[in-house]
Amino acid sequence: MQKIKLQPLADRVLVQADQAEEKSKGGIIIPDTAKESPQKGTVLAVGKGKKDEFMTVKVGDSVLYGKYSGTEITVEGVEALIMKESDIFGIIQHTYDNY
């Protein structure tokens, strides 16, 4: 994860999308034109929230978001999405317990 010098305003969040799948589960290489944009990414920067509304996500969180959420931008050579926190469906909890 790269440190970005951008402070989103209010309830905005800067997310770096995960890489699109290169191969299908069957091993077929997917061409760039057929790759689906990922709906999972890592939070790079978070705004301070709105009055009486605190931000839930924090830098470094893995999140799920809507397929058409956010606006694509490039900041310091990094391609990312800037979106409202409400466009994020949830934070992915990584557990390493063997159940």
Side-chain angles (χ1 to χ4, degrees), residues 3-20:
K3 184 98 170 158
I4 300 290
K5 296 178 187 174
L6 174 75
Q7 175 66 51
L9 298 177
D11 62 341
R12 304 259 192 251
V13 179
L14 187 68
V15 176
Q16 184 175 24
D18 288 354
Q19 294 293 319

Side-chain angles (χ1 to χ4, degrees), residues 48-90:
K48 295 184 183 202
K50 292 182 174 182
K51 184 178 179 179
D52 299 329
E53 289 183 33
F54 300 101
M55 298 296 282
T56 305
V57 297
K58 62 184 182 304
V59 173
D61 282 348
S62 292
V63 295
L64 291 175
Y65 52 87
K67 189 171 189 170
Y68 302 106
S69 295
T71 301
E72 294 178 357
I73 63 170
T74 302
V75 180
E76 299 174 18
V78 175
E79 292 181 20
L81 295 166
I82 191 157
M83 64 184 73
K84 290 187 174 191
E85 186 182 42
S86 61
D87 291 335
I88 295 174
F89 297 145

Side-chain angles (χ1 to χ4, degrees), residues 30-42:
I30 302 170
D32 289 339
T33 55
K35 290 180 185 173
E36 293 222 12
S37 59
Q39 294 172 279
K40 185 171 103 171
T42 304

